[in-house]
Amino acid sequence: MAPSIPVTRTGKSRLSETDFNRLEFGKYISDHMLLCAWKEGAWQQPEIVPYGPVSFTPAMLALHYGQAVFEGMKAYRMADGRITIFRPDMHAERFNRSLQRMAMPPMDNEFFLTCLRALVEADKEWVPAHEGSALYIRPVVFATEQRLGLKVSDEYLFVILTGPVGPYFNKPIKVKVEETYVRAAEGGTGFAKCAGNYGGAFYPTLRARKEGYDQVLWTDACGHQYIDESGAMNVMFVINNRLITPALTSAILDGVTRHTLLTLAREMGIAVEERKISVKELKDAFERGLITEAFGAGTAAVVATIAAIGIGGTDYYLPEPHAGPVQERLRRQLHDIRRGHAPDIYGWNYIIA
Ligand code: COI
């Protein structure tokens, strides 16, 4: 179903109050939002309304039992002024895998794309144009049924919010290999973009921050031997001139940026390895001077340069410049495709206006 979506426009745009030259990640929310309820076994008519509070009962199931999943994608202003959403089809597929894992209702990809397009069109003035900025798009579905008993909800709300953003990190980061706490175990919900994965990460991340790190580098739940991912992104290393990233497991998020960068790297003739990478291998690579780059890959983070990795109480620094040539080539190519400077041979740009 591809519905036509009614739009109620705000009488008071907040565009003029928004400082597009200083876009912190997540600070601003655009004028409109999309709302769509799921009840009686079906998604209802979506609508676009002015962004603002929505009332709920504190007895809604999402608050108690955690049925809440989200996505994060970006719309860009191309060099010729058109607007593109980057790889929304891959996000739609992952959204559905997350929904399924959390026993929540699936959403037809076409329906999802129609909703996205309609909302971004309604707030197209909010898509920033300058280098390093984008319109972040946050779809979320959560359980709204009022009930205290432990059960799968029969009612949900699908909401899409958007907001102009700048870089997620504005300098190279320090990450700490986590050897006490666990983000996700195989068979759990690590591959799903569900709210609980992030809530559970806050406490270890706060502890790492107190020790001077920006993010945690999660390791496997069985023995903390292998690298999984970082807090808000997948992670990649350049060791011996090979681009190495942990192979996907049910404990790792199947990142759209991860997939994009691996595709671009292969196309550039860079040797790519998707495999287990142990903490010991990482430490050895530092000691032997074989590791030249490390970076995160995520929609929000894009390509996030890692300057240092803390392993067992020792900080290992990457050589300068921290933003080495592999990540710089990948970052540039990704940027050029999104802005329309380089050919989009994989059809990643979903041009909407
Ligand atoms: C994203 O990269 O879109 C994320 O969802 C990461 C974070 C902001 C939670």
Side-chain angles (χ1 to χ4, degrees):
M1 179 184 61
S4 123
I5 302 178
V7 180
T8 306
R9 293 205 70 90
T10 179
K12 192 177 177 311
S13 171
R14 283 171 287 104
L15 257 179
S16 61
E17 298 158 23
T18 306
D19 186 353
F20 279 83
N21 294 314
R22 279 196 221 183
L23 292 173
E24 275 168 48
F25 189 91
K27 178 171 173 186
Y28 297 111
I29 299 185
S30 316
D31 281 335
H32 300 91
M33 62 184 176
L34 181 136
L35 302 178
C36 180
W38 193 87
K39 56 183 181 194
E40 288 151 18
W43 290 108
Q44 307 294 307
Q45 170 69 46
E47 56 171 345
I48 292 174
V49 295
Y51 166 70
V54 179
S55 71
F56 296 108
T57 163
M60 75 171 179
L61 283 167
L63 294 179
H64 302 263
Y65 306 122
Q67 277 184 299
V69 312
F70 68 96
E71 264 305 318
M73 68 197 94
K74 280 177 172 169
Y76 294 85
R77 177 84 57 186
M78 301 178 84
D80 63 6
R82 290 180 300 164
I83 293 170
T84 171
I85 305 178
F86 193 70
R87 306 196 72 180
D89 44 350
M90 196 174 173
H91 285 279
E93 280 159 23
R94 187 174 66 185
F95 201 34
N96 271 303
R97 289 197 297 279
S98 304
L99 289 167
Q100 184 187 41
R101 179 62 181 83
M102 299 304 289
M104 295 164 75
M107 188 176 294
D108 181 71
N109 286 5
E110 265 318 297
F111 175 85
F112 180 75
L113 294 181
T114 303
C115 291
L116 282 181
R117 169 189 279 271
L119 183 64
V120 175
E121 271 174 1
D123 274 334
K124 59 176 185 285
E125 291 87 358
W126 285 82
V127 183
H130 53 272
E131 179 103 17
S133 66
L135 186 79
Y136 187 70
I137 306 172
R138 170 54 60 81
V140 56
V141 177
F142 49 94
T144 49
E145 183 183 339
Q146 167 185 300
R147 187 70 74 103
L148 294 182
L150 178 61
K151 76 178 281 283
V152 172
S153 183
D154 284 329
E155 290 168 16
Y156 297 87
L157 189 67
F158 170 41
V159 180
I160 313 180
L161 305 172
T162 71
V165 295
Y168 194 75
F169 297 110
N170 43 29
K171 60 171 183 42
I173 59 170
K174 264 181 90 173
V175 296
K176 175 193 165 186
V177 171
E178 181 57 64
E179 289 171 300
T180 304
Y181 297 96
V182 165
R183 172 184 173 273
E186 287 249 37
T189 59
F191 71 91
K193 215 159 166 61
C194 59
N197 288 346
Y198 296 82
F202 283 144
Y203 179 69
T205 306
L206 284 180
R207 287 175 60 110
R209 291 236 167 96
K210 278 198 189 134
E211 295 166 30
Y213 299 97
D214 300 287
Q215 292 267 306
V216 167
L217 197 48
W218 297 105
T219 49
D220 70 283
C222 288
H224 297 292
Q225 279 186 64
Y226 297 98
I227 304 294
D228 271 357
E229 62 169 88
S230 192
M233 56 202 188
N234 296 108
V235 69
M236 301 190 175
F237 308 97
V238 179
I239 301 177
N240 239 343
N241 294 318
R242 307 178 81 78
L243 180 62
I244 305 173
T245 194
L248 294 175
T249 68
S250 60
I252 297 179
L253 192 80
D254 182 0
V256 175
T257 310
R258 174 188 182 281
H259 181 269
T260 302
L261 297 184
L262 295 181
T263 306
L264 294 177
R266 289 187 173 108
E267 189 188 306
M268 289 170 180
I270 297 168
V272 170
E273 294 178 15
E274 291 180 71
R275 61 166 172 82
K276 279 177 180 254
I277 169 155
S278 68
V279 178
K280 181 174 178 315
E281 177 180 353
L282 216 49
K283 203 169 150 193
D284 288 349
F286 274 111
E287 284 165 357
R288 295 167 60 203
L290 297 177
I291 178 164
T292 48
E293 296 183 44
F295 53 96
T299 297
V302 193
V303 175
T305 302
I306 295 175
I309 304 180
I311 307 176
T314 303
D315 287 346
Y316 293 87
Y317 281 83
L318 277 303
E320 306 240 16
H322 299 311
V326 172
Q327 61 192 281
E328 279 303 331
R329 278 178 78 194
L330 293 171
R331 183 187 282 125
R332 175 51 51 190
Q333 183 65 4
L334 179 56
H335 170 272
D336 286 352
I337 294 171
R338 286 162 165 172
R339 296 281 176 183
H341 296 307
D344 178 20
I345 60 174
Y346 302 102
W348 287 336
N349 284 321
Y350 179 75
I351 292 170
I352 60 151

